Structures are given as C-alpha cells and as structure tokens.
Amino acid sequence: RATKAQFLRGLLGGILALAVAALTWSGCIWLACLWPIGVVLPFRDVLGLVLVSYAPLVFGFLAIVPHAGLFWDGVLKVWMLLITIAGLNMEHGVDLLQAVAASGFGWLLFHLLGELFGSRVEKLRLRLLGRHEWVRPKDAVAALLDREMAAK
C-alpha cells in the first residue's frame, strides 16, 4: 500500500510528467513545422493545439481493460495524432499533407525521445514515489498473498 505522501507525490509526478510530455510534443511539432516544412507558427499556438489533443485521455481508463487495453491505448494515441493534424490544417491553414508530415514527424520524434530517455524518467518517477525499483504486479500480488497467509 502507498502512504498518503507517496500517493500525493505520485499524483503530482503524474501531472508533471503529463505537462512535460505536452511541452515536449509541442516542441517536436513546432520544430517539424519550422524545419522541414518551413511553416512558422507561434509555439504558444502549437502548445494549445497539443493540449486540446490530450482531451481523449479522459478515456485513458480503457487502457487498463484486460485483453483490450493495448488496443484502446493505441486508439487513443492515434486519436490524439489526428486532432493535431486537423488542428494544424483547419486552425492554422497548414496544407493537409504538410499537417500530416509535421504532426507525424513530431509524433515520431516525441516517441523516439521517450525511448531514449524514458528509463531515466521512470527511475526519477519511482524515486519520487519513494521506491527504488518497479514492482511487477504479479510479484506484488504474491507478496500480498504471502503476507495474508502468514497472518492467519
């Protein structure tokens, strides 16, 4: 069980991670618009668009549905990508093909950065939670059952 302090640190850490992810993805899309495509957009506008694209995460609980969670997680990520494409196209007047290229390149760059630095970020998040390593759910259940059986 997590203490109240660990829960609060985990909640604040999750909010911080989401904010950093939104800033990073915004930066990736902004760079993708600026460099290969040559479309100059204010960073603030791109950030607003990315924040709107995070709206489907209200359905994030679907990602923990047994046997279908990975599918729903993928659907939500594609939905977010489609929102950025539509936003660049409709709101900022970027050509559809350029919007697809900028959003796609930004999305790929964002996920590449996640793969490169994700383990370090996860270690920091665990440290904020007061843990030293990730506990697999199967191990946590086994330890809980052992403790319950020992108590009887």
Side-chain angles (χ1 to χ4, degrees):
R1 290 190 155 200
T3 65
K4 289 179 184 180
Q6 287 175 328
F7 175 76
L8 186 60
R9 282 193 311 239
L11 184 64
L12 293 175
I15 292 170
L16 180 64
L18 199 60
V20 169
L23 284 169
T24 305
W25 193 22
S26 299
C28 292
I29 292 175
W30 181 77
L31 285 174
C33 283
L34 186 66
W35 175 62
I37 296 173
V39 176
V40 179
L41 294 174
F43 181 77
R44 187 184 72 206
D45 291 351
V46 177
L47 177 61
L49 175 62
V50 168
L51 291 176
V52 168
S53 77
Y54 271 63
L57 289 183
V58 249
F59 299 109
F61 65 90
L62 292 173
I64 62 170
V65 173
H67 306 293
L70 290 176
F71 169 77
W72 287 115
D73 187 52
V75 167
L76 293 175
K77 287 178 181 175
V78 169
W79 190 1
M80 293 169 65
L81 179 63
L82 291 174
I83 290 173
T84 61
I85 292 169
L88 285 173
N89 181 301
M90 294 180 196
E91 184 68 26
H92 299 291
V94 177
D95 181 60
L96 182 60
L97 197 53
Q98 291 177 331
V100 168
S103 292
F105 182 74
W107 190 72
L108 287 173
L109 184 59
F110 173 71
H111 285 285
L112 179 65
L113 288 172
E115 287 296 319
L116 291 174
F117 301 108
S119 63
R120 292 184 185 125
V121 172
E122 181 65 18
K123 285 179 184 175
L124 176 64
R125 189 179 75 82
L126 289 173
R127 192 170 294 149
L128 286 173
L129 287 172
R131 297 185 180 151
H132 299 290
E133 61 183 29
W134 178 253
V135 177
R136 294 184 318 176
K138 193 182 260 186
D139 294 340
V141 169
L144 181 64
L145 287 174
D146 288 344
R147 205 173 336 143
E148 290 294 321
M149 297 303 279
K152 289 184 178 182

